[in-house]
């Protein structure tokens, strides 16, 4: 079911007004989407890393040349969209894709039933100041293309929920018409294929606050939520929400489908192995 942008925003704002956090969940499979929805999440997001993650690979596989990221999202939509009953579903769009007419692609995603977009894969995960990142930007495949994609989706009346990694990017996305800014703290820690190198929670909260303040300076109505890095478990998200001002939710991908799956399957297998006969 495709939700108009304003209806999606009304639902998100009503969640905040009720005193609950907005929770978005990455869905790499239909079963992830089905049961995340039953758990009450407010948004579902499909992007190519979900396929790699739920096949036992690290999420950063989504940034490497293992497949056509935008085509994978379309394929995953066939698996996920039919099982979602009443939750807006976002498409992770590779805005730097040089083989897509982005206005046509965004329109097609909307026609297929996606209610909004997010910028993934994202250049933002490549560290600023490195030669690789500079070369990416210099050769026309930079973060500015992701900003343009978000602006295009906003003009097509889709919900826009971009990842930002710096205060400047938060301002740029707000100026482009973003509805929800997702303050990204890097690859999620914990579990078997999670990151080991990350910020501390205290530093993450400070960065999230800085991103929030930068976005709100452009548009006071913008919604800001957090994601990634050390914010892996509910207690982590609670810490960040309690130690920031105006940040109203959390988006989890590994946190809502990989980590619970790792634990549940491992524990279930152990319980079967402990049967005595």
């Amino acid at each position: 079911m495709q939700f108009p942008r304003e209806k999606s925003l009304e639902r998100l704002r009503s969640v905040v007004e009720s005193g609950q956090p907005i929770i978005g969940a990455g869905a790499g499979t239909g079963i992830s989407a089905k049961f995340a929805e039953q758990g009450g999440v407010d948004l579902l997001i499909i992007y190519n890393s979900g396929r790699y993650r739920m096949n036992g690979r690290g999420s950063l596989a989504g940034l490497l040349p293992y497949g056509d990221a935008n085509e994978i999202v379309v394929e995953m939509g066939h698996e996920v969209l039919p099982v979602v009953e009443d939750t807006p579903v976002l498409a992770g769009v590779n805005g730097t894709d040089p083989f897509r007419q982005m206005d046509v692609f965004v329109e097609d995603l909307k026609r297929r039933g996606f209610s909004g977009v997010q910028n993934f894969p994202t250049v933002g995960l490549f560290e600023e100041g490195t030669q690789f990142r500079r070369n990416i930007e210099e050769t026309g495949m930079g973060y500015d293309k992701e900003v343009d994609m978000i602006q295009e989706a906003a003009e097509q009346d889709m919900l826009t929920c971009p990842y930002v990694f710096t205060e400047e990017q938060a301002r740029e996305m707000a100026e482009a018409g973003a509805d929800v800014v997702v303050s990204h703290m890097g690859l999620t820690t914990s579990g078997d294929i999670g990151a080991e190198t990350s910020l501390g929670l205290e530093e993450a909260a400070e960065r999230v606050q800085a991103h929030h303040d930068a976005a709100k300076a452009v548009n006071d109505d913008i919604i800001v939520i957090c994601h990634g890095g050390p914010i892996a478990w509910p207690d982590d998200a609670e810490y960040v929400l309690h130690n920031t001002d105006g940040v109203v939710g959390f988006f989890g991908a590994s946190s809502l489908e990989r980590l619970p799956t790792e634990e549940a399957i491992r524990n279930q297998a152990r319980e079967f192995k402990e049967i005595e006969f």
Side-chain angles (χ1 to χ4, degrees), residues 21-41:
I22 294 169
I23 302 297
T29 66
I31 199 166
S32 299
K34 185 180 184 72
F35 290 101
E37 181 176 47
Q38 289 185 17
V41 301

Side-chain angles (χ1 to χ4, degrees), residues 58-275:
S59 295
L60 291 184
L63 276 71
L64 297 173
Y66 301 143
D68 181 337
N70 285 329
E71 185 58 35
I72 287 171
V73 164
V74 171
E75 293 171 5
M76 292 172 69
H78 296 313
E79 302 163 3
V80 173
L81 287 166
V83 303
V84 177
E85 296 182 359
D86 190 38
T87 305
V89 180
L90 312 184
V93 177
N94 181 3
T96 67
D97 186 344
F99 301 104
R100 288 288 191 284
Q101 290 178 263
M102 201 50 65
D103 57 340
V104 175
F105 184 59
V106 169
E107 184 178 11
D108 185 51
L109 292 172
K110 186 175 182 179
R111 180 183 62 80
R112 290 175 181 275
F114 287 98
S115 298
V117 299
Q118 187 170 63
N119 54 325
F120 194 90
T122 172
V123 172
L125 280 165
F126 299 130
E127 186 177 354
E128 285 195 337
T130 62
Q131 181 174 333
F132 181 74
R133 174 65 181 270
R134 287 196 299 269
N135 290 164
I136 285 284
E137 302 280 356
E138 291 164 356
T139 53
M141 295 176 285
Y143 190 85
D144 61 306
K145 297 293 185 184
E146 299 176 30
V147 176
D148 291 345
M149 182 275 292
I150 291 296
Q151 183 171 353
E152 177 61 43
E155 290 173 357
Q156 293 199 32
D157 203 35
M158 295 188 80
L159 185 71
T160 52
C161 306
Y163 283 136
V164 304
F165 300 81
T166 67
E167 294 169 57
E168 181 183 359
Q169 291 172 1
R171 286 189 290 269
E172 289 174 346
M173 284 299 190
E175 290 168 355
D179 301 304
V180 180
V181 161
V182 185
S183 178
H184 199 309
M185 294 296 106
L187 183 64
T188 301
T189 60
S190 297
D192 188 65
I193 55 175
E196 295 182 13
T197 304
S198 179
L199 304 172
L201 271 175
E202 184 176 349
E203 186 180 355
E206 291 173 358
R207 287 197 188 184
V208 171
Q209 186 69 62
H211 297 168
H212 165 277
D213 295 348
K216 286 280 190 176
V218 175
N219 176 11
D220 194 51
D221 290 330
I222 205 165
I223 295 168
V224 181
I225 64 177
C226 59
H227 168 76
I231 318 170
W233 298 97
D235 287 350
D236 304 326
E238 184 176 49
Y239 175 90
V240 173
L241 296 182
H242 284 183
N243 287 275
T244 52
D245 181 27
V247 180
V248 294
F250 170 73
F251 164 53
S254 292
S255 297
L256 272 110
E257 64 172 356
R258 174 177 66 80
L259 294 176
T261 300
E262 286 182 16
E263 287 204 347
I265 294 176
R266 183 187 298 117
N267 292 339
Q268 186 81 335
R270 284 175 178 163
E271 287 191 27
F272 275 106
K273 286 298 292 180
E274 289 168 0
I275 294 172

